[in-house]
Amino acid sequence: MNLLEYTALRPFAQRHLLTLQDWTEDEMYQCLSLALKLKAAQKRGERQTQLAGKTLAMIFSKSSTRTRVSFEVGATQLGGSALFLSTSDIQLGRGEPIADTARVLSRMVDGIMIRTFKQSDLEDLARYGSIPVINGLTDEFHPCQVLADLLTVYEKKGALKGLKLAFVGDGNNMAHSLLIGCSKLGIDVAVASPDGYKPKAEYVAWAVQNAQEHGSRVTVCTDPLEACRDADVLYTDVWASMGQEGEAKARRKAFGGVYQINDACLSIAKPDAIFLHCLPAHRGEEVTTSVIDGPHSVIFDEAENRLHAQKAVMCLLMGERA
Ligand code: CP
Ligand code: NVA
């Protein structure tokens, strides 16, 4: 499929991006197609005005480099603006109810991006507010990252359906969103994690159901090499996510020496496999320097694509058409 020429099956129906499980395959393709077009227009130096006069509030309860910069720059490039709101500064961090925060922000801005811990907080913002809510990472999901990842895979491979992605490491927010996003687009996805750190059964069940509907396969296993066999895309993420700093030692013990993308994984994957990592990365832990800084790695193209994918998300949810 040529995504630049993708024709939508129906108008974009989504109001929020809480998890990719809420989006249809058609909506994901619309988003990726628009991202490619916005990226090309940006590179040609065309002026973009899709968000003229609109403001995105960005609430952060956790650290960020890529998400913060890409949303703020993206909103600016589209003619709008973005507000950085750390929960250590705003009243939400002192106990003001989410419902009140949602109602107040809905009177002043046009969309909310939030990075926080509980998925239910995001759902409450969407429930009580009257503007689009975008998930900038929760403990459960990281859908914006996966849209950027899929865009990168498409650019490098010229296709999505029929490929295989292997994720080695913690069954975390990234694993969950990759399971969902890949299974919806007909990409085989295999996750290798140690016992006790496997992705949540509820989300694996969603992915298995998606895979049945979209003709792909979902595997959850313990052996990294089994997951990486014949993979087109190798993916990993940190062993201890934000909020799990106190578990770092136990996690190093559970993952150390085994749950790593290294040269052995590359040698069992397809010869032209690419390596992705959402970043930030810990070289020598979940990935070797030889892989992350080697010829198969496309991590900086992937990071750049956060900007283009999220510009598409903002246009679709907050732009004039929305
Ligand atoms: N990948 C990602 O979300 O990066 P940041 O934590 O820097 O936003
Ligand atoms: N799993 C990581 C992803 C960071 C982008 C975390 O939640 O910290």
Side-chain angles (χ1 to χ4, degrees), residues 181-248:
C182 291
S183 60
K184 282 214 167 192
L185 298 192
I187 300 170
D188 290 346
V189 53
V191 176
S193 314
D195 288 337
Y197 297 96
K198 296 233 173 340
K200 286 190 183 166
E202 182 189 355
Y203 307 138
V204 175
W206 289 358
V208 168
Q209 177 69 36
N210 295 338
Q212 275 165 9
E213 289 164 17
H214 300 283
S216 52
R217 255 183 317 185
V218 169
T219 310
V220 176
C221 61
T222 310
D223 178 6
L225 293 182
E226 181 189 337
C228 293
R229 189 181 305 279
D230 295 325
D232 300 279
V233 183
L234 300 178
Y235 206 117
T236 188
D237 185 16
V238 292
W239 293 337
S241 285
M242 289 181 279
Q244 296 172 335
E245 290 77 8
E247 299 173 29

Side-chain angles (χ1 to χ4, degrees), residues 63-68 115 137 142 145 242 278-280 306:
S63 306
S64 170
T65 299
R66 281 144 288 268
T67 306
R68 176 178 176 180
R115 166 167 287 196
L137 180 146
H142 197 1
Q145 179 69 53
M242 289 181 279
C278 56
L279 303 178
R306 294 294 304 278

Side-chain angles (χ1 to χ4, degrees), residues 169-190:
D170 187 22
N172 63 12
N173 43 13
M174 277 313 312
H176 295 155
S177 282
L178 287 165
L179 276 162
I180 293 167
C182 291
S183 60
K184 282 214 167 192
L185 298 192
I187 300 170
D188 290 346
V189 53

Side-chain angles (χ1 to χ4, degrees), residues 107-172:
R107 300 288 182 107
M108 299 183 190
V109 301
D110 305 281
I112 302 172
M113 189 290 302
I114 179 164
R115 166 167 287 196
T116 191
F117 297 87
K118 290 181 355 209
Q119 185 73 11
S120 59
D121 286 351
L122 192 78
E123 290 162 1
D124 285 345
L125 265 184
R127 180 173 307 122
Y128 294 106
S130 54
I131 53 177
V133 175
I134 300 168
N135 184 346
L137 180 146
T138 59
D139 290 349
E140 308 300 304
F141 304 115
H142 197 1
C144 291
Q145 179 69 53
V146 170
L147 288 169
D149 298 340
L150 293 168
L151 186 63
T152 312
V153 173
Y154 177 79
E155 286 178 333
K156 302 294 174 190
K157 299 281 167 197
L160 291 168
K161 201 172 174 61
L163 298 180
K164 177 183 177 183
L165 180 143
F167 179 93
V168 172
D170 187 22
N172 63 12

